[in-house]
Amino acid sequence: MEELSSQKTILSGIKPTGQLTIGNYIGAMKNFVKLQNDYETLYMVVDLHALTVPQEPKELRHKTLSIIAQYIAVGLDPEKNNLFIQSHVTGHTELAWILGCMTGLGDLSRMTQFKDKSAKPGANVNAGLYTYPILMASDILLYNADFVPVGEDQKQHVELTRDIAMRFNYRYSDTFTIPEPIIPKSGARIMDLQNPMSKMGKSDSGESGRIALIDEPSLVAKRIKSAVTDSGSEIKFSETDEKAGIRNLLTIYANLTEISIAEIELMYEGKGYGDFKKDLADIVVERLSPIKNRHDDLMKNKDYLEAVLKSGAESAQKKAWKMLSKVYRKVGLVQAVR
Ligand code: AMP
Ligand code: TRP
């Protein structure tokens, strides 16, 4: 039967592996918020993905809830969006098994994120880290998502998802929607403040190089003010390595204010890095403080968060069952009598 609504579906997920950073916010979450009014949206916390690296169980539980609270705090309305935890819905790992049987080892070995993570000294290279893109494909295809808002580093995984979906559709007839990534033109890769040649990561950046959405305002300001810049003084956007620090700060400024980089350059003509950083610190603090306050309030209201999660998971589960039984039937599994 055709879906009653012709509305397109948006889906994305974030791993509860550390504190969400302004990189997550600018690269992905800002888009989640923008898209919530015009689409059917599913935003999940992908806790099963977090298990690819060792986690302290108590902390994992806390971080998972904290990300749900941050989804709401940045402006995702639980009435409009399906907000849920991946492990609350049966079907993700089931579909991943089937998709895994159609994914080549070569495809997985090509994944840049896997190559980077497994090359780190002392890396725990487990099978989950390797097969993780299949679980991500399953997250997306289970809900027939049309669009997937993500930062630059996830583009390759969405492309693999498209390949797997096309392979399945070709072999078993049209089943999955072929998803497209939505990647912001600017801000898809916010860099570490202390080491602007590498990505600002939740867990793999040094503490002082990142800003978490729920950091204390004084700490936020301090980190912006002590961000690495070069020995020059001109506030100019340049693609050279030397200018990576100021380029990153300009990108953050432009994304949080919606003022174009060219205009910002004009505003700071004749001024130095100090003035610019001071203003940027105020801008970031002003944006993050209400998010932190709202998050802190929500974390005190576990009943409310649980109600949001219950309703999010119930509605996601209905969609997941429907797709999973369709896939089971198509690949030749005997239908269970329930
Ligand atoms: P993760 O933190 O790896 O779970 O990523 C969650 C989402 O945030 C994904 O869509 C990432 O692509 C995006 N993201 C993570 N770090 C950054 C960053 N430094 N700049 C822009 N987007 C990011
Ligand atoms: N792999 C993504 C990341 O590391 C998280 C993720 C898991 C995801 N499943 C997803 C993102 C589905 C978008 C859609 O950031």
Side-chain angles (χ1 to χ4, degrees):
M1 202 178 78
E2 275 290 309
E3 286 275 337
L4 286 178
S5 148
S6 60
Q7 224 179 13
K8 301 258 188 197
T9 298
I10 304 269
L11 174 144
S12 197
I14 296 186
K15 290 190 303 275
T17 44
Q19 297 292 3
L20 290 184
T21 69
I22 46 167
N24 295 120
Y25 179 67
I26 293 173
M29 297 167 92
K30 225 163 78 98
N31 260 340
F32 296 1
V33 177
K34 216 187 284 170
L35 295 161
Q36 69 181 324
N37 294 318
D38 302 319
Y39 297 91
E40 164 82 15
T41 52
L42 297 116
Y43 297 122
M44 59 190 148
V45 181
V46 288
D47 54 350
L48 297 172
H49 284 264
L51 299 177
T52 52
V53 289
Q55 301 290 337
E56 209 283 298
K58 202 168 150 215
E59 225 173 87
L60 177 60
R61 253 189 298 273
H62 177 82
K63 279 184 196 147
T64 303
L65 284 180
S66 169
I67 293 187
I68 291 288
Q70 288 177 69
Y71 275 166
I72 302 172
V74 298
L76 290 176
D77 178 353
E79 303 283 326
K80 283 192 194 151
N81 303 277
N82 293 278
L83 304 181
F84 64 102
I85 295 175
Q86 181 189 32
S87 68
H88 287 188
V89 178
T90 304
H92 293 247
T93 50
E94 284 78 356
L95 179 58
W97 175 258
I98 292 173
L99 301 181
C101 295
M102 327 182 33
T103 306
L105 294 186
D107 286 335
L108 296 176
S109 306
R110 274 193 300 111
M111 295 294 116
T112 320
Q113 198 172 56
F114 172 72
K115 286 197 276 190
D116 288 351
K117 288 198 171 171
S118 55
K120 286 205 176 128
N124 162 5
V125 190
N126 58 64
L129 194 67
Y130 188 64
T131 56
Y132 154 121
I134 302 171
L135 183 56
M136 174 161 166
S138 157
D139 298 336
I140 297 171
L141 300 179
L142 193 57
Y143 301 99
N144 262 339
D146 297 277
F147 300 108
V148 184
V150 281
E152 179 66 36
D153 63 339
Q154 296 304 315
K155 188 168 174 229
Q156 199 184 28
H157 292 156
V158 179
E159 275 161 10
L160 177 66
T161 303
R162 290 168 59 87
D163 291 346
I164 297 175
M166 286 190 251
R167 201 171 300 150
F168 189 101
N169 287 353
Y170 180 74
R171 195 180 295 174
Y172 296 109
S173 81
D174 234 11
T175 307
F176 296 124
T177 301
I178 310 298
E180 276 178 48
I182 299 184
I183 298 172
K185 284 198 186 69
S186 154
R189 193 170 160 82
I190 297 296
M191 310 307 273
D192 185 294
L193 299 178
Q194 289 302 318
N195 177 13
M197 297 305 286
S198 63
K199 190 186 85 160
M200 184 188 289
K202 280 206 235 88
S203 41
D204 45 8
S205 270
E207 278 276 321
S208 53
R210 60 173 185 254
I211 290 180
L213 296 188
I214 57 171
D215 273 342
E216 290 297 337
S218 56
L219 187 66
V220 171
K222 191 172 140 213
R223 294 218 167 130
I224 294 281
K225 287 180 189 161
S226 52
V228 163
T229 37
D230 54 284
S231 57
S233 61
E234 244 194 326
I235 319 291
K236 275 260 172 252
F237 188 93
S238 153
E239 291 294 351
T240 59
D241 286 357
E242 195 205 334
K243 292 285 174 192
I246 192 71
R247 180 168 73 237
N248 190 38
L249 297 181
L250 272 165
T251 305
I252 296 173
Y253 195 124
N255 270 281
L256 294 186
T257 57
E258 311 275 332
I259 302 176
S260 73
I261 300 233
E263 245 176 287
I264 301 170
E265 287 173 344
L266 273 179
M267 284 160 52
Y268 286 92
E269 234 173 31
K271 295 188 180 170
Y273 288 166
D275 294 323
F276 174 77
K277 282 186 186 173
K278 189 176 166 304
D279 290 351
L280 180 58
D282 290 344
I283 290 165
V284 178
V285 165
E286 202 176 303
R287 176 65 67 94
L288 299 192
S289 293
I291 296 176
K292 174 181 169 48
N293 293 341
R294 179 96 175 98
H295 163 269
D296 293 354
D297 285 346
L298 285 162
M299 287 303 276
K300 287 182 208 135
N301 195 347
K302 293 275 156 58
D303 290 348
Y304 173 71
L305 289 182
E306 274 167 16
V308 167
L309 288 174
K310 181 165 184 278
S311 114
E314 271 170 10
S315 101
Q317 185 67 73
K318 277 191 205 130
K319 299 178 210 286
W321 275 133
K322 210 163 133 192
M323 180 52 102
L324 191 66
S325 39
K326 188 169 171 184
V327 169
Y328 277 7
R329 183 165 44 78
K330 290 230 183 180
V331 301
L333 305 183
V334 173
Q335 206 177 351
V337 183
R338 291 183 201 274

